[in-house]
Amino acid sequence: MDWEQPANNDFLLVSQFSVTGALYTCRPDLVCFVNSLPLVVIELKKPGVPARAAFNENLTHYKVEIPQLFWFNALLIASNGTDSRVGSLTADWERFFEWKRIEREDEPRRVSLEVMLLDEEGEKRLERELGRQYHLITRDDRLETVAQDIVRHFLGRGFQGKAMVVSIDKATAMRMHEKVRKHWLAEQARVERELAALTKFGAESDPDRVRELQQRLATIKTTDMAVIVSPSQNEIEQMRQFGIDAVPHRKRMNDEALDEKFKDSNDPLRLVFVCAMWLTGFDAPSCSTVYLDKPMRNHTLMQTIARANRVFPGKHSGLIVDYANVFASLEKALAIYGAGQGGATPVRDKAKLVEELGKAVEGAIAFCGKQGVEIAKIEGAGGMEKLALFEDAVNALISPDPLRKEFLGHERLVTTLYNAVKPDPAVVQFASPVACLATIADTIRSRLGEGVPDISAVMGRINALLDESIAADGFRIREDGKGEGRGVIDISRIDFEALAKRFKKSERKNIELEQLKAAIAAQLNKLIRLNKTRADYLAKFEELIESYNAGSRNIDDLFLELLNLTRALSEEQQRHVRENLSEEELTVFDLLTRPGPELSPAERDEVKKVAKFLLERLKSVIVLDWRRRNDARAKVRLAIEDALDDGLPRAYTPEVYQQKCATLFEHVFESFGGGGVLGFEAA
């Protein structure tokens, strides 16, 4: 694909292009090929039929039935002639937007299905303007200032998504990379010096600042950067004239899958330097920031800012940092191409986010106030008083389930907006209440085994202190922090009598109730995953919680009922020992007897022998990928039928025998993967 000279590419528009899938042959109305690649699929409806019908009835169907057509797709278009919408392959209808085109700057904007290109006169004017601006934009002292600001901003953001630096041309992109690297290393040295000063005598004089610096240093040390520019003839010599060694950059672009690394939110490649590549037709949803240092307008500008506006968990919005004063062009481009629902602009000044943050904080504080939690009072307290107020707040907001979910929703919105606004100085006024709300929410999640709170050194001791006091009276918290339910009580180690006595005297019953609920839920998940016949325990647990949430059972009654259920689960966990069976053998035994005919003790022993024999038999039958092969599946089914036919007592009628054969085959199919090892698969 020749991005620099579009006329060098081969364009072909095909009507009623037939594509055969596994079940259907589909014929999209129009398919646009560029260099033989189907980049654009267009579906048309007659005037009067909503354009959305083309999306719902046709485009969505094509994506399912003929996915091969979309391997190289850049755009989908749905139109009825007067209403035209364009979107990406993964976008739902709400993210399909009107495509506007004008022929003159004074022409009113309109929806059109005409050729979606900029007018040549406008492009020429832009080139002339760029010629005048180029020497100003590429001044060395200016680039130094921009590079320093990029380092400051990137490291100070709240949501730490990936970022793009967009420069005016290839040489400037490489120069910017070098300058950012220089200021990056300078910032690393500054952080290390400050950390050394704060920990000089082995003690942390300011634990909060130390933690903040350690996180900043970790980001600095782990972040990878790369230049992404298209190749050209005599590139090495041309860049050498600017004092740039382009060889390492080009070698890396050739040797590494940098596009896949940047798309991978877990890969350390977090900052890329571009000038044209990746600005259109490239999606990395975790990218949240675009540093724009290149004059742009119209469609190219809209495509560029869209790089930061993809949906990604934890990302409230994309951020455009404008170094090239393109905002006026942006407003015009939005008027032409990018109006959202109801004509609203999808791009807003950051001051609007600050306003939304303020309203979200007010809403969260008001909600807490209705539950008797005064955020301002917690902020103003200190020492042990603050610890007590935090625990009171956790107790008030952790239960019942609907109340907790509503509070966590408030806190999640506040935190998301706060991270979206950072590093803007406007967040300072909200720092204290946001930190307070986050501490309460993180402590609640920690109590329920959903995470470990990331709070200050003093507040971080809340859980440790309380866990110790609880452990002394019955609870035992898992210490290794590994596996399921991190931070959740291990019910196999509960002292039930001590726990019941403690609960009667507790001033924070909600916390202890929710901890016990989380422990039971984690244990139930494990037990049922191993043996589905234990589902009755889950039904009982859910019935108890539902009755409490509905107000028909008080907290003391619920706690006692849950303790009884916990005892039953502990006994169930050890039942395989009493039955002289392994956990796997017990599962097969239960599937054969729950439900099953009335059995005498001797007949129960016969069924146990069947369970043991069957598992031994399956070890020699199950092979790698057995579930994919008809002959291998047939051998497993036959082994089950033979084992049950030979070993089950006469109490099993032919009808029950057939049912049990089917039940056991389903269990084996779901639980045993093969590959030389017979055992339960991890869920």
Side-chain angles (χ1 to χ4, degrees):
M1 197 78 67
D2 191 337
W3 299 101
E4 303 295 333
Q5 301 293 331
N8 292 339
N9 298 296
D10 178 60
F11 296 88
L12 176 66
L13 189 65
V14 179
S15 176
Q16 299 296 311
F17 182 68
S18 295
V19 183
T20 301
L23 297 177
Y24 303 100
T25 295
C26 303
R27 295 178 179 84
D29 288 327
L30 295 171
V31 178
C32 178
F33 291 84
V34 181
N35 298 342
S36 301
L37 299 179
L39 299 188
V40 182
V41 177
I42 304 171
E43 194 64 27
L44 307 174
K45 293 294 180 183
K46 65 182 180 180
V49 177
R52 182 168 187 166
F55 175 83
N56 291 341
E57 299 169 8
N58 302 96
L59 293 175
T60 301
H61 175 73
Y62 299 157
K63 288 192 287 185
V64 174
E65 300 301 336
I66 49 171
Q68 64 271 32
L69 178 62
F70 301 94
W71 289 347
F72 305 97
N73 184 264
L75 292 173
L76 300 177
I77 297 174
S79 176
N80 62 4
T82 57
D83 180 19
S84 302
R85 302 294 181 100
V86 62
S88 65
L89 179 63
T90 58
D92 53 25
W93 180 251
E94 284 65 31
R95 291 187 173 274
F96 268 61
F97 295 101
E98 295 176 343
W99 194 292
K100 307 289 196 304
R101 175 182 181 271
I102 62 172
E103 295 178 358
R104 304 181 308 276
E105 291 190 359
D106 60 347
E107 177 186 349
R109 66 181 190 174
R110 70 176 189 270
V111 183
S112 173
L113 192 62
E114 298 173 43
V115 180
M116 296 178 178
L117 295 173
L118 298 172
D119 58 294
E120 293 185 12
E121 183 181 351
E123 287 297 314
K124 291 177 180 178
R125 286 201 304 272
L126 179 60
E127 289 177 9
R128 290 195 298 270
E129 182 64 21
L130 289 180
R132 291 194 292 268
Q133 295 183 24
Y134 184 84
H135 72 284
L136 297 175
I137 291 174
T138 59
R139 280 175 58 97
D140 194 71
D141 57 345
R142 179 186 175 278
L143 294 181
E144 288 285 353
T145 302
V146 171
Q148 190 171 15
D149 190 71
I150 288 172
V151 173
R152 177 198 62 80
H153 185 277
F154 183 92
L155 294 173
R157 299 174 305 160
F159 176 77
Q160 291 288 319
K162 300 201 173 187
M164 288 182 170
V165 179
V166 183
S167 296
I168 194 169
D169 61 9
K170 181 189 299 187
T172 310
M174 291 186 179
R175 290 171 64 196
M176 184 60 74
H177 174 268
E178 291 183 2
K179 292 181 183 301
V180 167
R181 288 293 306 166
K182 180 180 72 173
H183 290 289
W184 194 269
L185 294 174
E187 176 64 8
Q188 177 177 338
R190 186 198 67 79
V191 172
E192 289 173 340
R193 286 196 303 270
E194 186 175 350
L195 266 175
L198 289 172
T199 58
K200 187 174 183 180
F201 301 106
E204 297 179 359
S205 58
D206 187 345
D208 291 344
R209 180 60 176 163
V210 168
R211 184 174 294 99
E212 179 185 339
L213 290 171
Q214 288 173 338
Q215 292 174 349
R216 191 178 184 90
L217 186 59
T219 301
I220 291 173
K221 288 185 173 181
T222 60
T223 295
D224 185 19
M225 307 176 192
V227 174
I228 310 294
V229 291
S230 57
S232 60
Q233 292 184 350
N234 299 320
E235 174 184 69
I236 304 302
E237 181 58 32
Q238 289 173 357
M239 293 302 104
R240 187 175 290 118
Q241 293 175 7
F242 289 95
I244 300 169
D245 182 5
V247 173
H249 297 300
R250 182 55 57 199
K251 187 175 189 305
R252 190 172 184 197
M253 283 182 269
N254 291 339
D255 295 348
E256 299 181 36
L258 296 178
D259 54 344
E260 294 303 321
K261 288 188 172 187
F262 193 69
K263 289 179 181 180
D264 182 357
S265 60
N266 296 316
D267 192 276
L269 180 58
R270 303 187 183 112
L271 185 59
V272 295
F273 298 78
V274 304
C275 61
M277 288 183 67
W278 290 12
L279 297 186
T280 59
F282 176 81
D283 277 341
S286 64
C287 179
S288 62
T289 309
V290 171
Y291 298 102
L292 197 51
D293 195 28
K294 175 180 181 178
M296 291 180 172
R297 60 176 245 169
N298 296 345
H299 174 242
T300 305
L301 176 56
M302 288 300 299
Q303 285 287 303
T304 300
I305 67 172
R307 298 314 102 209
N309 209 32
R310 300 308 189 218
V311 177
F312 188 79
K315 182 169 77 171
H316 175 269
S317 54
L319 180 65
I320 309 300
V321 182
D322 179 12
Y323 295 112
N325 193 27
V326 301
F327 190 73
S329 297
L330 175 59
E331 289 183 314
K332 186 178 295 183
L334 287 169
I336 300 171
Y337 300 102
Q341 299 295 325
T345 173
V347 177
R348 293 176 294 167
D349 190 277
K350 209 170 185 181
K352 296 290 185 181
L353 272 184
V354 177
E355 184 180 333
E356 286 185 27
L357 172 60
K359 291 179 180 178
V361 171
E362 288 178 7
I365 291 175
F367 176 82
C368 292
K370 292 178 181 178
Q371 317 309 320
V373 177
E374 299 181 37
I375 299 299
K377 186 175 181 180
I378 298 175
E379 293 177 64
M384 294 305 296
E385 180 189 4
K386 194 164 194 171
L387 294 175
L389 288 174
F390 265 118
E391 276 304 298
D392 288 342
V394 170
N395 186 66
L397 297 168
I398 199 173
S399 185
D401 295 353
L403 185 146
R404 178 180 68 252
K405 290 176 181 177
E406 189 170 355
F407 165 70
L408 293 177
H410 277 288
E411 183 274 335
R412 192 177 298 111
L413 175 61
V414 167
T415 300
T416 301
L417 288 170
Y418 183 79
N419 287 335
V421 174
K422 286 180 69 179
D424 194 298
V427 301
V428 173
Q429 60 182 308
F430 304 109
S432 182
V434 170
C436 186
L437 291 166
T439 297
I440 297 170
D442 286 342
T443 305
I444 288 175
R445 295 186 184 103
S446 177
R447 292 291 181 187
L448 304 182
E450 298 174 5
V452 177
D454 181 15
I455 55 181
S456 70
V458 174
M459 300 316 304
R461 297 191 185 99
I462 294 175
N463 286 333
L465 291 171
L466 290 167
D467 288 348
E468 289 174 8
S469 65
I470 290 172
D473 287 318
F475 281 125
R476 286 281 184 250
I477 309 297
R478 293 177 180 170
E479 298 173 354
D480 59 3
K482 298 177 182 178
E484 300 173 19
R486 184 174 183 177
V488 175
I489 306 158
D490 182 352
I491 67 173
S492 67
R493 301 169 66 186
I494 288 179
D495 182 335
F496 295 102
E497 298 302 323
L499 187 56
K501 291 178 182 178
R502 172 183 172 80
F503 187 77
K504 288 182 180 179
K505 298 182 291 184
S506 175
E507 295 180 357
R508 298 185 178 111
K509 293 185 176 182
N510 284 341
I511 293 177
E512 298 187 27
L513 173 68
E514 293 301 323
Q515 281 191 286
L516 184 58
K517 282 170 55 181
I520 294 173
Q523 189 67 7
L524 276 172
N525 180 59
K526 177 182 177 182
L527 291 175
I528 293 174
R529 189 173 70 244
L530 296 175
N531 189 337
K532 291 183 179 180
T533 66
R534 294 161 171 161
D536 288 347
Y537 289 106
L538 177 60
K540 175 63 176 175
F541 176 65
E542 291 176 342
E543 185 273 326
L544 289 172
I545 302 307
E546 185 67 28
S547 65
Y548 173 67
N549 289 340
S552 59
R553 193 185 301 269
N554 65 39
I555 191 169
D556 294 286
D557 290 342
L558 176 62
F559 194 84
L560 291 177
E561 292 279 4
L562 290 178
L563 276 184
N564 292 332
L565 179 60
T566 305
R567 289 190 182 95
L569 289 177
S570 296
E571 293 174 2
E572 174 64 23
Q573 191 172 357
Q574 297 301 316
R575 184 165 62 89
H576 71 92
V577 178
R578 297 194 301 274
E579 297 283 4
N580 194 29
L581 297 169
S582 69
E583 186 66 62
E584 293 176 1
E585 293 166 349
L586 179 65
T587 300
V588 174
F589 176 76
D590 285 346
L591 289 171
L592 290 171
T593 58
R594 295 181 175 179
E598 290 289 334
L599 299 174
S600 66
E603 288 174 327
R604 284 175 57 85
D605 288 341
E606 289 183 47
V607 177
K608 289 180 183 179
K609 291 177 182 178
V610 171
K612 293 182 178 182
F613 173 80
L614 176 59
L615 287 173
E616 284 297 320
R617 179 75 180 92
L618 289 175
K619 289 180 181 179
S620 63
V621 175
I622 290 180
V623 295
L624 184 66
D625 287 339
W626 72 274
R627 288 181 287 201
R628 297 175 180 269
R629 295 163 41 194
N630 290 334
D631 61 330
R633 292 199 303 272
K635 287 182 179 180
V636 172
R637 188 184 296 275
L638 183 61
I640 293 172
E641 292 174 350
D642 287 347
L644 269 58
D645 187 38
D646 293 341
L648 287 180
R650 292 183 177 275
Y652 286 82
T653 65
E655 293 78 12
V656 175
Y657 163 79
Q658 292 294 341
Q659 292 172 3
K660 295 304 180 183
C661 287
T663 299
L664 278 178
F665 180 78
E666 180 181 344
H667 165 69
V668 172
F669 190 89
E670 292 178 353
S671 302
F672 301 108
V677 178
L678 186 64
F680 289 104
E681 290 188 350

Short mmCIF file of all heavy atoms in Angstrom, two decimals, residues 179-203:
data_model
loop_
_atom_site.label_atom_id
_atom_site.label_comp_id
_atom_site.label_asym_id
_atom_site.label_seq_id
_atom_site.Cartn_x
_atom_site.Cartn_y
_atom_site.Cartn_z
N LYS A 179 14.82 12.98 21.54
CA LYS A 179 14.70 14.00 22.57
C LYS A 179 13.87 13.49 23.75
O LYS A 179 14.18 13.78 24.92
CB LYS A 179 14.09 15.27 21.98
CG LYS A 179 15.01 15.96 20.98
CD LYS A 179 14.41 17.23 20.42
CE LYS A 179 15.32 17.85 19.38
NZ LYS A 179 16.67 18.20 19.91
N VAL A 180 12.80 12.76 23.47
CA VAL A 180 12.01 12.20 24.56
C VAL A 180 12.85 11.21 25.36
O VAL A 180 12.79 11.19 26.59
CB VAL A 180 10.73 11.52 24.01
CG1 VAL A 180 10.06 10.66 25.08
CG2 VAL A 180 9.75 12.58 23.51
N ARG A 181 13.64 10.39 24.67
CA ARG A 181 14.51 9.45 25.37
C ARG A 181 15.48 10.19 26.29
O ARG A 181 15.74 9.76 27.42
CB ARG A 181 15.31 8.61 24.36
CG ARG A 181 14.51 7.57 23.61
CD ARG A 181 14.01 6.46 24.51
NE ARG A 181 15.08 5.84 25.27
CZ ARG A 181 14.88 5.03 26.31
NH1 ARG A 181 13.65 4.78 26.72
NH2 ARG A 181 15.89 4.49 26.94
N LYS A 182 16.02 11.30 25.82
CA LYS A 182 16.96 12.08 26.63
C LYS A 182 16.29 12.59 27.90
O LYS A 182 16.82 12.43 29.01
CB LYS A 182 17.51 13.25 25.81
CG LYS A 182 18.51 14.10 26.58
CD LYS A 182 19.02 15.25 25.74
CE LYS A 182 17.96 16.32 25.54
NZ LYS A 182 18.49 17.52 24.85
N HIS A 183 15.11 13.20 27.76
CA HIS A 183 14.41 13.72 28.93
C HIS A 183 13.86 12.60 29.82
O HIS A 183 13.70 12.78 31.03
CB HIS A 183 13.29 14.66 28.49
CG HIS A 183 13.78 15.95 27.91
ND1 HIS A 183 14.37 16.95 28.68
CD2 HIS A 183 13.81 16.41 26.62
CE1 HIS A 183 14.72 17.95 27.90
NE2 HIS A 183 14.40 17.66 26.65
N TRP A 184 13.59 11.46 29.20
CA TRP A 184 13.14 10.29 29.95
C TRP A 184 14.23 9.83 30.92
O TRP A 184 13.97 9.57 32.10
CB TRP A 184 12.79 9.19 28.95
CG TRP A 184 12.01 8.02 29.49
CD1 TRP A 184 12.50 6.87 30.00
CD2 TRP A 184 10.58 7.90 29.53
NE1 TRP A 184 11.48 6.03 30.35
CE2 TRP A 184 10.28 6.64 30.09
CE3 TRP A 184 9.53 8.74 29.15
CZ2 TRP A 184 8.98 6.19 30.28
CZ3 TRP A 184 8.23 8.30 29.34
CH2 TRP A 184 7.96 7.05 29.90
N LEU A 185 15.45 9.73 30.40
CA LEU A 185 16.57 9.31 31.25
C LEU A 185 16.88 10.35 32.32
O LEU A 185 17.25 10.01 33.45
CB LEU A 185 17.81 9.06 30.38
CG LEU A 185 17.69 7.87 29.41
CD1 LEU A 185 18.92 7.80 28.50
CD2 LEU A 185 17.52 6.57 30.18
N ALA A 186 16.70 11.62 31.97
CA ALA A 186 16.92 12.67 32.97
C ALA A 186 15.89 12.57 34.09
O ALA A 186 16.22 12.75 35.27
CB ALA A 186 16.83 14.05 32.30
N GLU A 187 14.65 12.26 33.74
CA GLU A 187 13.61 12.10 34.76
C GLU A 187 13.89 10.87 35.63
O GLU A 187 13.66 10.89 36.84
CB GLU A 187 12.23 11.98 34.10
CG GLU A 187 11.08 11.72 35.05
CD GLU A 187 10.83 12.83 36.04
OE1 GLU A 187 11.45 13.91 35.91
OE2 GLU A 187 10.00 12.64 36.95
N GLN A 188 14.40 9.81 35.02
CA GLN A 188 14.76 8.62 35.80
C GLN A 188 15.83 8.96 36.83
O GLN A 188 15.74 8.56 38.01
CB GLN A 188 15.26 7.51 34.88
CG GLN A 188 15.71 6.26 35.64
CD GLN A 188 16.13 5.14 34.71
OE1 GLN A 188 15.74 5.10 33.55
NE2 GLN A 188 16.93 4.21 35.22
N ALA A 189 16.83 9.70 36.42
CA ALA A 189 17.90 10.09 37.35
C ALA A 189 17.35 10.96 38.47
O ALA A 189 17.73 10.81 39.65
CB ALA A 189 19.01 10.82 36.58
N ARG A 190 16.44 11.89 38.13
CA ARG A 190 15.85 12.77 39.16
C ARG A 190 15.05 11.97 40.19
O ARG A 190 15.17 12.18 41.40
CB ARG A 190 14.94 13.80 38.51
CG ARG A 190 14.40 14.85 39.48
CD ARG A 190 13.19 15.57 38.92
NE ARG A 190 12.04 14.69 38.78
CZ ARG A 190 11.26 14.34 39.81
NH1 ARG A 190 11.53 14.75 41.03
NH2 ARG A 190 10.22 13.53 39.61
N VAL A 191 14.25 11.02 39.70
CA VAL A 191 13.43 10.20 40.61
C VAL A 191 14.32 9.35 41.50
O VAL A 191 14.07 9.23 42.72
CB VAL A 191 12.47 9.31 39.79
CG1 VAL A 191 11.77 8.30 40.71
CG2 VAL A 191 11.44 10.16 39.07
N GLU A 192 15.37 8.78 40.94
CA GLU A 192 16.28 7.96 41.75
C GLU A 192 16.97 8.78 42.82
O GLU A 192 17.17 8.32 43.95
CB GLU A 192 17.30 7.28 40.83
CG GLU A 192 16.68 6.17 39.97
CD GLU A 192 17.65 5.61 38.96
OE1 GLU A 192 18.66 6.30 38.66
OE2 GLU A 192 17.40 4.49 38.45
N ARG A 193 17.34 10.02 42.49
CA ARG A 193 17.97 10.89 43.49
C ARG A 193 17.01 11.21 44.62
O ARG A 193 17.38 11.17 45.80
CB ARG A 193 18.45 12.20 42.83
CG ARG A 193 19.69 12.05 41.97
CD ARG A 193 20.31 13.41 41.67
NE ARG A 193 19.36 14.31 41.02
CZ ARG A 193 19.20 14.40 39.70
NH1 ARG A 193 19.92 13.62 38.90
NH2 ARG A 193 18.33 15.26 39.18
N GLU A 194 15.76 11.54 44.27
CA GLU A 194 14.78 11.87 45.31
C GLU A 194 14.48 10.66 46.19
O GLU A 194 14.35 10.79 47.41
CB GLU A 194 13.50 12.41 44.68
CG GLU A 194 12.50 12.92 45.72
CD GLU A 194 11.28 13.57 45.10
OE1 GLU A 194 11.27 13.80 43.88
OE2 GLU A 194 10.33 13.84 45.86
N LEU A 195 14.38 9.49 45.57
CA LEU A 195 14.14 8.28 46.36
C LEU A 195 15.30 8.01 47.31
O LEU A 195 15.09 7.64 48.47
CB LEU A 195 13.96 7.08 45.42
CG LEU A 195 12.54 6.70 45.01
CD1 LEU A 195 12.57 5.58 43.99
CD2 LEU A 195 11.72 6.30 46.22
N ALA A 196 16.51 8.19 46.81
CA ALA A 196 17.68 7.96 47.66
C ALA A 196 17.68 8.91 48.86
O ALA A 196 18.02 8.52 49.98
CB ALA A 196 18.96 8.12 46.84
N ALA A 197 17.28 10.15 48.63
CA ALA A 197 17.25 11.13 49.71
C ALA A 197 16.18 10.78 50.75
O ALA A 197 16.40 10.94 51.96
CB ALA A 197 16.99 12.53 49.15
N LEU A 198 15.04 10.29 50.29
CA LEU A 198 13.94 9.97 51.22
C LEU A 198 14.20 8.70 52.01
O LEU A 198 13.61 8.49 53.08
CB LEU A 198 12.62 9.83 50.44
CG LEU A 198 12.02 11.12 49.89
CD1 LEU A 198 10.83 10.82 48.98
CD2 LEU A 198 11.59 12.04 51.03
N THR A 199 15.03 7.81 51.48
CA THR A 199 15.31 6.54 52.16
C THR A 199 16.77 6.45 52.59
O THR A 199 17.31 5.36 52.78
CB THR A 199 14.97 5.36 51.23
OG1 THR A 199 15.75 5.47 50.02
CG2 THR A 199 13.50 5.37 50.85
N LYS A 200 17.40 7.59 52.77
CA LYS A 200 18.84 7.65 53.01
C LYS A 200 19.27 6.86 54.24
O LYS A 200 20.28 6.17 54.23
CB LYS A 200 19.27 9.11 53.16
CG LYS A 200 20.78 9.30 53.25
CD LYS A 200 21.14 10.77 53.23
CE LYS A 200 22.65 10.97 53.26
NZ LYS A 200 23.01 12.41 53.23
N PHE A 201 18.49 6.94 55.30
CA PHE A 201 18.89 6.30 56.56
C PHE A 201 18.08 5.02 56.83
O PHE A 201 17.90 4.62 57.97
CB PHE A 201 18.74 7.28 57.71
CG PHE A 201 19.57 8.52 57.54
CD1 PHE A 201 18.99 9.72 57.19
CD2 PHE A 201 20.95 8.47 57.68
CE1 PHE A 201 19.76 10.86 57.02
CE2 PHE A 201 21.73 9.59 57.50
CZ PHE A 201 21.14 10.80 57.17
N GLY A 202 17.55 4.42 55.77
CA GLY A 202 16.85 3.16 55.93
C GLY A 202 15.40 3.30 56.35
O GLY A 202 14.70 2.31 56.49
N ALA A 203 14.95 4.51 56.59
CA ALA A 203 13.56 4.74 57.00
C ALA A 203 12.89 5.65 55.98
O ALA A 203 13.53 6.53 55.41
CB ALA A 203 13.50 5.37 58.39
#
